[in-house]
Structures are given as C-alpha cells and as structure tokens.
C-alpha cells in the first residue's frame, strides 16, 4: 500500500494527540498526498523541533537528527506497510528493544523542577510503569530519587530523566531504546493534569510504552488512518483499544487503558 494518508500528520505531529513518544493535543486530519507530497524542505520546516533539538513526529515520537528526519521522510513517501495489539519499532530491520539485563533496571529520576507537582509526577510514573511491569516480570522501572535534584540527560547515574516542559505541542513525549543518550528523557507538560479521560497514569503508561520500543498501534493498515511508517514488526493481532492507539485515529478506547492484547505483546517481546 503506497503511503497516501498522513504525511501531513507526521509533519504536524505536535498537534496530533494530547499525549505524546509524545502524546499530541489534537490529531490533524489525514491527508492524501498522491496529488503532490510536500518536498523534504517543506516537511522539515513544518516539523516541530523540541527543546533538546530533536524532531517530534507522529504526535510524540522523537527523531534525533536531520539525517534521520530525511530517512523518515523518504520512508513515508515510498514504502509499503506491513500487512500483519502491539508492534515494536525496528531499526535497520532489528527490534528496537532493551537487552535482558537493561530492561530489568530501567533507572530514572524525576526533576524537582516540577515544583509542587513533583510528588504527583513521581506517583504517575510509578503507576504508569506498573502497567508494563505487571505484564512482564522482566521489566523493572526504578526511580532513583537521589538524582531528582540534578535530573537531566547529563546525569549518568540514571538511564533517563523525567523533566517538565512548557509547550502547546504535546502533553508528553518520550524516546525509543535506540535514541541517543542526550534525548533519553520523558518530557511532561502541565496539561497532563487537565486531559479529561486520559489519566496521568495512562498518559505516562503510553509514553513508557515508547521507551520500551513499542510503536503507535494506529500505524497499522487496519486503522485506516494516521499511518506513520513501516519500521515495525507485529507482536499481536491489531488492537484498536491498545494503550498505544490514539483514540483520534479510529481507536476504540477513550482512556488509553492497557488491554490483554497489550500484555500479550509485552510478553512476546520481553518474556513473562
């Protein structure tokens, strides 16, 4: 299937869903690009550049450099989609996942710059992480509270940081295991506390799904909209209610809760 639907969505990913490896604030309508895809220069200039220099596409997914952005663009306008719940990101055909030893020690800090919301973010991280940890005993997110006062990507005592951001482009955004160290952070906007049916637990849960390597479920052809790219491998049958499926993209769950199919996909990738 030639890409004909959402190159424009990828370019305006910051406005896609209010979550973000980010949840955006509102999803742009799918666009048919058969009649004339934007040039790479047009695509790049309209793609949101985040506070750490990366590019945010697909609502909340991070691309690290201009070289990677060009490769992403080329895939969007030229590749077919796979025809097969949960899907894992791939890099050069290999699963984008943590090693068995690392996935059991996913250390993080929560910045004290969240101020009075610090404890709330700590709680949301713990409950969001528990969604994945309960699916597989191999997964363990570990809060290193001693690092909270100097919680940035430069802090080498943790694998990743959780930091506040002030943006209207997304509610939160994360990273994939293959992301460079300088972009291994989960950024959270204050709008996470006013996102209606999307609870902070489920929003953070969605983002932590990206940190484990899981892609947006709605990039599958079964969704019928919001196609992103073909760099993924199916782990389960399509799940329109997946925690990784934007409700705005023909999803059937309004609250981003985790499903039994999601849990099966976690086990398929990381084990029981």
């Amino acid at each position: 299937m030639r890409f004909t639907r959402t190159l424009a969505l990828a370019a305006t990913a910051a406005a896609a869903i209010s979550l973000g490896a980010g949840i955006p604030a509102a999803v742009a309508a799918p666009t048919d690009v058969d009649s004339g895809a934007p040039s790479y220069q047009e695509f790049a200039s309209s793609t949101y550049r985040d506070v750490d220099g990366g590019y945010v596409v697909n609502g909340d997914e991070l691309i690290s450099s201009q070289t990677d952005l060009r490769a992403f663009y080329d895939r969007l306008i030229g590749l077919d989609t796979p025809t097969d719940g949960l899907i894992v990101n791939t890099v050069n055909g290999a699963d984008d996942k943590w090693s068995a030893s690392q996935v059991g020690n996913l250390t993080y800090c929560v910045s004290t710059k969240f101020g009075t919301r610090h404890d709330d973010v700590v709680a949301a991280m713990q409950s969001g992480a528990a969604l994945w940890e309960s699916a597989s005993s191999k997964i363990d997110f570990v809060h290193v509270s001693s690092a909270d006062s100097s919680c940035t990507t430069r802090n080498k005592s943790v694998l990743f940081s959780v930091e506040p951001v002030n943006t209207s482009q997304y509610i939160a955004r994360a990273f994939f295991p293959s992301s460079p160290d300088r972009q291994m952070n989960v950024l959270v906007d204050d709008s996470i506390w006013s996102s209606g049916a999307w609870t902070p637990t489920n929003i953070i849960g969605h983002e932590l799904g990206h940190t484990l390597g899981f892609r947006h479920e709605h990039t599958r052809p079964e969704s019928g909209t919001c196609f992103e790219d073909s760099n993924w491998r199916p782990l389960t049958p399509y799940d329109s209610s997946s925690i990784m499926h934007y409700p705005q993209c023909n999803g059937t769950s309004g609250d981003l809760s985790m499903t039994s199919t999601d849990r099966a996909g976690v086990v398929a990738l990381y084990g029981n």
Side-chain angles (χ1 to χ4, degrees):
M1 179 186 297
R2 187 176 183 278
F3 174 70
T4 61
R5 286 165 285 178
T6 52
L7 185 57
L9 174 64
T12 58
I17 172 182
S18 297
L19 311 175
I23 292 182
V27 176
T31 299
D32 189 333
V33 298
D34 273 349
S35 58
S39 68
Y40 171 69
Q41 290 74 20
E42 292 170 331
F43 172 75
S45 65
S46 63
T47 299
Y48 177 67
R49 195 153 196 188
D50 215 344
V51 292
D52 54 8
Y55 297 89
V56 178
V57 301
N58 300 334
D60 63 353
E61 295 176 2
L62 184 65
I63 288 182
S64 304
S65 66
Q66 290 187 13
T67 299
D68 291 339
L69 186 68
R70 180 56 195 250
F72 175 82
Y73 168 85
D74 290 344
R75 290 193 302 269
L76 281 177
I77 64 173
L79 289 185
D80 292 339
T81 60
T83 57
D84 262 326
L86 218 53
I87 57 178
V88 62
N89 189 49
T90 57
V91 178
N92 297 323
D95 290 347
D96 190 1
K97 59 179 287 191
W98 298 108
S99 66
S101 58
Q102 186 67 80
V103 79
N105 189 36
L106 300 171
T107 57
Y108 67 91
C109 57
V110 178
S111 175
T112 54
K113 290 182 179 178
F114 281 106
T116 59
R117 282 294 192 179
H118 175 265
D119 289 349
D120 295 329
V121 177
V122 168
M125 279 293 299
Q126 291 173 339
S127 56
L131 297 175
W132 302 101
E133 293 167 338
S134 64
S136 171
S137 62
K138 309 297 184 184
I139 298 172
D140 192 13
F141 287 94
V142 180
H143 179 204
V144 181
S145 58
S146 60
D148 287 358
S149 60
S150 55
C151 186
T152 70
T153 56
R154 295 185 297 276
N155 192 327
K156 300 309 177 185
S157 67
V158 292
L159 182 65
F160 69 94
S161 58
V162 182
E163 304 176 59
V165 67
N166 183 15
T167 181
S168 61
Q169 301 297 314
Y170 53 76
I171 293 174
R173 79 111 171 103
F175 59 92
F176 288 119
S178 59
S179 297
D181 290 349
R182 69 181 185 279
Q183 291 171 340
M184 280 199 176
N185 52 14
V186 175
L187 300 182
V188 182
D189 182 70
D190 198 53
S191 57
I192 194 173
W193 311 113
S194 56
S195 299
W198 297 333
T199 67
T201 292
N202 290 352
I203 292 173
I204 293 296
H206 175 101
E207 295 308 317
L208 294 182
H210 287 309
T211 72
L212 291 169
F214 300 118
R215 288 289 304 275
H216 289 140
E217 186 75 359
H218 48 261
T219 195
R220 294 191 189 221
E222 293 95 327
S223 168
T225 188
C226 298
F227 171 75
E228 297 172 354
D229 63 46
S230 304
N231 286 346
W232 50 269
R233 179 177 71 85
L235 299 167
T236 69
Y238 172 66
D239 179 12
S240 63
S241 296
S242 171
I243 190 174
M244 302 308 295
H245 198 308
Y246 286 170
Q248 299 96 315
C249 295
N250 289 340
T252 55
S253 172
D255 61 1
L256 289 177
S257 57
M258 181 172 277
T259 69
S260 59
T261 304
D262 287 330
R263 289 187 282 272
V266 177
V267 172
L269 188 63
Y270 286 112
N272 283 305

